[in-house]
Amino acid sequence: MLIVLPSSETKVAPGTGAPLDLDTLSFPSLGAVRRVVLDALVETSTGPEALQRLRVGPSMAAQVERNADLRR
């Protein structure tokens, strides 16, 4: 399965935007699946092989680390 994530450039810096509220997004029936994907992204992004698993280079390390704060 391929899951496409928005580019890191579209994320607001932590603490400057509203918290992510999956229930307010279009197609609320996808909420449960979105939570699973979000949990997996956060877990992957904080792991030792995050860059390799997300298939990004070292220049994206700071952006990948920001994935841990997506819920805030």
Side-chain angles (χ1 to χ4, degrees), residues 8-43:
S8 296
E9 291 82 9
T10 61
K11 295 176 192 153
V12 176
T16 59
L20 177 62
D21 185 354
L22 296 177
D23 296 326
T24 63
L25 299 176
S26 299
F27 308 103
S29 61
L30 296 175
V33 173
R34 287 176 172 142
R35 283 176 183 78
V36 169
V37 172
L38 179 60
D39 290 344
L41 176 60
V42 170
E43 182 179 342

Side-chain angles (χ1 to χ4, degrees), residues 20-72:
L20 177 62
D21 185 354
L22 296 177
D23 296 326
T24 63
L25 299 176
S26 299
F27 308 103
S29 61
L30 296 175
V33 173
R34 287 176 172 142
R35 283 176 183 78
V36 169
V37 172
L38 179 60
D39 290 344
L41 176 60
V42 170
E43 182 179 342
T44 298
S45 296
T46 58
E49 297 178 358
L51 300 180
Q52 294 86 354
R53 293 185 76 187
L54 293 171
R55 297 182 184 188
V56 297
S59 66
M60 295 296 294
Q63 300 297 327
V64 169
E65 288 177 16
R66 289 176 61 189
N67 287 336
D69 292 324
L70 286 176
R71 291 187 192 94
R72 296 186 272 154

